[in-house]
Amino acid sequence: MAYTGLPRIKHVRAFTVRGGGADYHDQGAGHWIDDHIATPMARYPEYRQSRQSFGINVLGTLVVEIEAEDGTIGFAVTTGGEPACFIVERHLARFLEGRNPAEYEKIWDQMYFSTQYYGRKGLVVNAISGVDLALWDLLGKLRGEPVHALLGGAVRDELQFYATGSRPDLAKDMGFIGGKMPLHHGPAEGIEGLRKNIAELATMRERVGPDFWLMLDCWMALDVDYATRLALAAHEHGLKWIEEAISPDDYWGYAELKRNVPRGMLVTTGEHEATRWGFRMLLEMDCCDILQPDVGWCGGVTELLKISALADAHGKLVVPHGSSVYSYHFVITRHNSPFAEFLMMHPGPSEVLPMFHPQLIGEPVPVNGRLRASALDKPGFGVELNRDLPMHRPYAR
Ligand SMILES: C[C@H](O)[C@H](O)[C@@H](O)[C@@H](O)C(=O)O
Ligand SMILES: [Mg+2]
């Protein structure tokens, strides 16, 4: 019987939603994730206390829906909001409607190279990622398989997670394998701020004991000199890795920082990097020990497959930036992705909440810091969209 492909794509729709979810920085007041966290904008005192003050949550969530001619709908969420809806409906949709959803390589190629003149990283690749993730969700639903099965299958029985949040001590009690804290003070707060950063780390080390992983997430806020001094001072408190310490554009700075940090301390980055070409730069300039692409921002699953293979050939780990089921289905299929990130979205954070809460119905969460592969066995990414949320389709066709 001749191969006729899968039911063709009939509609691509793009919506925006506010309030947490994939734009997880879009939280209410008093949340740990917006409490005096060091950023590149902290050099301006008026933007130092809150990242929302300079617009970290300005975009909101992009929801991409892809409907096949048999009525099956695949969807995905990522960061992008209304401008990403424009890119999806006015530019990218033409490369999907009428097509076989199994042709994700050609579709990705056309989405990327048709937007290369104004995209390549950031919002445009977020939009491409959202479409690609929705396509993989649709593929899984049409084939009756979870995405991890489409990617070659699980290589282990369960996922283990480290937790990102302000309370690694609580994360340890919840069974996570480590705790990554946001850095609160950057270079603009001088030696006093550096001392406070180290004091916070020392306090947590005291609380969690000598073996629990402790990491610092510096969210692009530092320069090489400050990051080096921070790493040297943090070494006595057993810092496992220093994350995204400097600008994602400063590949040279990362290579220097990686030479500077104490032996045994890891340098990590990548959540604001995009495509195989961006990660090739990080690998070939020896910028880091662990690559942390966000599958909703780096180009989607189709691109993460390429990034991961390149990293594996260089002997590097790929531990995707927290992106809920969209990274879990990938991580469980790759040997060079031995654990995953879980971003604590509870304001405390004193309890485990689904990472993209409240947007995904059936979103699995770690129990005792782990998630069985069997929890990921529904078709596609195994979640449904919470259609009770107020969704807006600004560029309906
Ligand atoms: C906790 C960090 O400041 C960011 O908010 C977080 O999104 C990201 O950097 C991470 O690695 O989880
Ligand atoms: Mg980070």
Side-chain angles (χ1 to χ4, degrees):
M1 187 172 85
Y3 172 62
T4 56
L6 296 170
R8 290 313 187 254
I9 294 168
K10 197 173 167 192
H11 295 302
V12 175
R13 294 182 284 267
F15 304 84
T16 187
V17 184
R18 300 290 314 178
D23 191 5
Y24 54 83
H25 289 112
D26 191 23
Q27 299 293 338
H31 199 291
W32 72 263
I33 210 165
D34 201 26
D35 180 15
H36 199 287
I37 292 177
T39 77
M41 290 292 286
R43 68 186 73 165
Y44 305 103
E46 65 270 33
Y47 296 125
R48 201 170 288 171
Q49 174 53 36
S50 157
R51 293 192 285 189
Q52 290 191 17
S53 70
F54 68 72
I56 196 170
N57 63 329
V58 69
L59 290 174
T61 292
L62 164 70
V63 180
V64 179
E65 255 190 359
I66 304 178
E67 181 178 351
E69 59 195 0
D70 70 347
T72 306
I73 292 178
F75 86 97
V77 296
T78 187
T79 312
E82 192 157 328
C85 288
F86 177 89
I87 294 165
V88 172
E89 297 244 22
R90 292 289 188 274
H91 199 165
L92 305 180
R94 72 186 73 186
F95 302 116
L96 287 103
E97 288 167 351
R99 294 286 185 80
N100 173 0
E103 295 177 344
Y104 52 81
E105 281 290 348
K106 180 165 77 171
I107 289 168
W108 194 96
D109 192 70
Q110 290 177 345
M111 289 196 292
Y112 182 76
F113 288 102
S114 65
T115 56
Q116 190 177 40
Y117 72 98
Y118 70 96
R120 299 180 54 243
K121 294 182 193 292
L123 180 67
V124 174
V125 183
N126 286 21
I128 290 171
S129 303
V131 171
D132 185 77
L133 291 171
L135 201 49
W136 280 87
D137 189 48
L138 176 62
L139 275 177
K141 287 170 177 170
L142 288 170
R143 290 174 171 163
E145 292 190 88
V147 170
H148 64 73
L150 302 178
L151 295 173
V155 297
R156 58 186 77 91
D157 295 336
E158 66 177 16
L159 285 172
Q160 51 182 354
F161 292 85
Y162 74 86
T164 297
S166 55
R167 295 294 302 273
D169 52 334
L170 300 181
K172 182 183 181 190
D173 296 342
M174 296 178 204
F176 289 99
I177 59 173
K180 182 170 77 180
M181 295 182 281
L183 189 77
H184 286 113
H185 308 283
E189 296 181 71
I191 188 66
E192 205 39 52
L194 181 57
R195 287 201 182 102
K196 286 179 186 172
N197 288 331
I198 295 301
E200 285 174 31
L201 178 63
T203 299
M204 277 304 159
R205 177 52 71 201
E206 191 66 31
R207 289 186 191 173
V208 299
D211 304 325
F212 187 68
W213 295 357
L214 284 180
M215 297 77 86
L216 280 173
D217 189 312
C218 307
W219 212 73
M220 308 173 277
L222 312 179
D223 54 54
V224 174
D225 172 61
Y226 189 100
T228 300
R229 288 186 288 129
L230 176 70
L232 293 172
H235 192 42
E236 71 174 282
H237 304 294
L239 186 70
K240 183 177 181 64
W241 76 62
I242 181 168
E243 178 168 326
E244 215 184 14
I246 52 181
S247 164
D249 299 315
D250 189 0
Y251 301 100
W252 305 268
Y254 273 105
E256 185 181 351
L257 177 62
K258 187 168 180 294
R259 293 191 296 271
N260 292 352
V261 299
R263 190 176 299 278
M265 185 182 294
L266 302 175
V267 174
T268 73
T269 193
E271 73 184 67
H272 294 105
E273 188 52 85
T275 77
R276 70 201 83 154
W277 298 287
F279 285 90
R280 178 182 175 188
M281 277 291 278
L282 290 176
L283 288 164
E284 295 191 5
M285 291 191 65
D286 196 17
C287 296
C288 58
D289 300 287
I290 300 179
L291 299 176
Q292 301 169 305
D294 182 301
V295 69
W297 303 343
C298 73
V301 169
T302 305
E303 196 64 2
L304 184 54
L305 282 165
K306 299 178 173 71
I307 293 165
S308 176
L310 200 55
D312 199 14
H314 282 77
K316 299 291 181 187
L317 297 186
V318 174
V319 181
H321 171 249
S323 36
S324 186
V325 289
Y326 303 111
S327 50
Y328 306 164
H329 278 258
F330 187 87
V331 167
I332 205 160
T333 68
R334 290 302 181 275
H335 285 294
N336 64 324
S337 298
F339 53 89
E341 176 181 8
F342 187 77
L343 249 160
M344 299 293 282
M345 298 322 300
H346 181 270
S350 54
E351 62 181 87
V352 171
L353 278 180
M355 202 194 134
F356 282 176
H357 174 78
Q359 291 175 358
L360 303 180
I361 293 172
E363 182 181 1
V365 294
V367 174
N368 195 31
R370 283 153 181 78
L371 191 66
R372 304 286 305 161
S374 54
L376 300 174
D377 270 355
K378 297 189 190 74
F381 287 106
V383 289
E384 289 306 328
L385 183 61
N386 178 359
R387 296 184 183 280
D388 293 340
L389 295 175
M391 294 205 311
H392 173 49
R393 187 184 178 195
Y395 300 100
R397 291 169 290 142

